[in-house]
Amino acid sequence: MSRKMRAAVAQLGPIHRVDSRDAVVRRLVTLLREAHGQGACFVVFPELALTTFFPRWWMTDQAEIDRYFEREMPNTATRPLFEAAKELGIGFYLGYAELTEERGEARHYNTSILVDPAGRIVGRYRKIHLPGHSEHLPQAPFQHLEKRYFDVGNDGFRVWRMMDAVFGMCICNDRRWPETYRVMGLQGVEIVALGYNTPVENIHDREPEHLRMFHHLLSLQAGAYQNAAWVLAAAKCGAEDGFVMIGGSAIVAPTGEIAARALTEGDEVIATTLDLELGDYLRRAVFNFAKHRRIEHYNLITSRTGAKTEV
Ligand code: CDV
């Protein structure tokens, strides 16, 4: 008997600095209902889905920064989303900024959660590959201050069994790193959920704008194929206070093919039926890890961080 699951990606258009959490959660609930209307039992929302992409703004007042963070989840603003999920029996992935305390110290994470169809949080991931910079770049058209506002995630790349499938999570820049998918692949991941905020413009090095979409899809497709997993990627996109981010939310099959792709740069739901056995033939042969991997030759992957030429 084949295992099938209908799943959706809910892309979000811009969230501006003045937009309230309540207004954003109303949009999320509308998208959740639409995903359910399309038959989905799981839906992926973007990275930092409750606020504007605030790392583009230079801020020095910690109280101002902390206004973008959630101290508990669910909370008053997000509870309607959890209640709607429970009412409809649909699970979800949600990205948000998490403020917590560890050993008496404040910690800030770029976090995602996995919520089951009963509205319970079953998994948490904290972003590991934080891009950008921590210093002010006054000459840049905007900032990318994830290295300033967030701590590096401390939960690793884990997987969770939910609805008879193995789920993994990552966030935005993580999708560009093969290690992200492989660590989950080695735990038998079947569905990788991820959200992203990707500016159209590369502030560090000028590059043609079309490459942003190309590299985004290339990363999803390679990660899916090389680990025989479905990849569900949700963008927050369009112009937030004038700063444009790419759309291109997509559902990628274990074959590396794009099964569904968003057409707009606004709120949009795409859905498809995931055949969870589609990747089995890859796992049996070309990507049979147990048979073909040669870990005795992979030592540098975990012992060296930066590239070093020694010849
Ligand atoms: N939010 C992100 O992680 N954005 C990065 C940008 C900086 C390139 C991304 O990988 O899309």
Side-chain angles (χ1 to χ4, degrees), residues 112-161:
S112 63
I113 46 171
L114 187 64
V115 178
D116 76 6
R120 290 180 304 234
I121 297 174
V122 295
R124 182 188 68 203
Y125 168 72
R126 290 166 168 166
K127 187 172 181 178
I128 287 173
H129 297 104
L130 295 174
H133 50 99
S134 48
E135 72 284 19
H136 190 202
L137 299 179
Q139 312 309 333
F142 54 90
Q143 309 295 301
H144 197 111
L145 293 159
E146 286 195 61
K147 284 197 190 294
R148 179 180 182 85
Y149 298 149
F150 297 117
D151 296 296
V152 174
N154 55 2
D155 282 337
F157 293 106
R158 297 177 54 204
V159 300
W160 298 266
R161 187 171 289 280

Side-chain angles (χ1 to χ4, degrees), residues 47 53 127 131 144 146 172-173 175-176 197-199 212:
E47 171 191 35
F53 189 71
K127 187 172 181 178
H144 197 111
E146 286 195 61
C172 196
N173 190 256
R175 75 196 189 287
R176 303 183 192 274
N197 288 255
T198 298
R212 292 298 248 200

Side-chain angles (χ1 to χ4, degrees), residues 45-264:
F45 293 112
E47 171 191 35
L48 300 178
L50 300 174
T51 62
T52 197
F53 189 71
F54 62 89
R56 75 167 62 88
W57 302 106
W58 172 254
M59 295 177 277
T60 51
D61 175 4
Q62 194 59 44
E64 184 189 358
I65 298 164
D66 286 352
R67 275 201 286 275
Y68 293 99
F69 285 76
E70 314 301 317
R71 288 170 171 77
E72 54 177 1
M73 191 59 65
N75 53 32
T76 311
T78 56
R79 198 155 284 117
L81 181 66
F82 285 73
E83 282 167 1
K86 187 174 171 187
E87 171 205 326
L88 301 172
I90 178 169
F92 65 89
Y93 161 112
L94 177 74
Y96 64 96
E98 177 196 4
L99 174 52
T100 188
E101 232 183 64
E102 286 169 12
R103 289 177 291 279
E105 277 189 25
R107 309 294 279 174
H108 297 76
Y109 295 109
N110 187 341
T111 295
S112 63
I113 46 171
L114 187 64
V115 178
D116 76 6
R120 290 180 304 234
I121 297 174
V122 295
R124 182 188 68 203
Y125 168 72
R126 290 166 168 166
K127 187 172 181 178
I128 287 173
H129 297 104
L130 295 174
H133 50 99
S134 48
E135 72 284 19
H136 190 202
L137 299 179
Q139 312 309 333
F142 54 90
Q143 309 295 301
H144 197 111
L145 293 159
E146 286 195 61
K147 284 197 190 294
R148 179 180 182 85
Y149 298 149
F150 297 117
D151 296 296
V152 174
N154 55 2
D155 282 337
F157 293 106
R158 297 177 54 204
V159 300
W160 298 266
R161 187 171 289 280
M162 183 174 90
M163 292 186 278
D164 199 27
V166 182
F167 285 81
M169 294 189 276
C170 65
I171 301 179
C172 196
N173 190 256
D174 289 320
R175 75 196 189 287
R176 303 183 192 274
W177 299 87
E179 296 86 348
T180 297
Y181 304 91
R182 183 48 51 89
V183 172
M184 291 189 269
L186 286 166
Q187 300 170 81
V189 77
E190 295 178 306
I191 300 171
V192 176
L194 71 98
Y196 60 97
N197 288 255
T198 298
V200 163
E201 191 176 343
N202 179 344
I203 57 166
H204 302 288
D205 295 287
R206 289 292 310 153
E207 64 179 351
E209 279 184 7
H210 74 269
L211 287 179
R212 292 298 248 200
M213 185 61 76
F214 174 68
H215 291 152
H216 155 64
L217 294 173
L218 180 69
S219 304
L220 302 184
Q221 292 180 259
Y225 168 60
Q226 291 168 350
N227 297 279
W230 287 89
V231 174
L232 278 51
K236 179 141 66 60
C237 56
E240 287 190 336
D241 294 301
F243 298 97
V244 191
M245 298 183 294
I246 66 166
S249 297
I251 298 177
V252 180
T255 54
E257 295 165 291
I258 297 173
R261 182 172 162 177
L263 299 174
T264 70

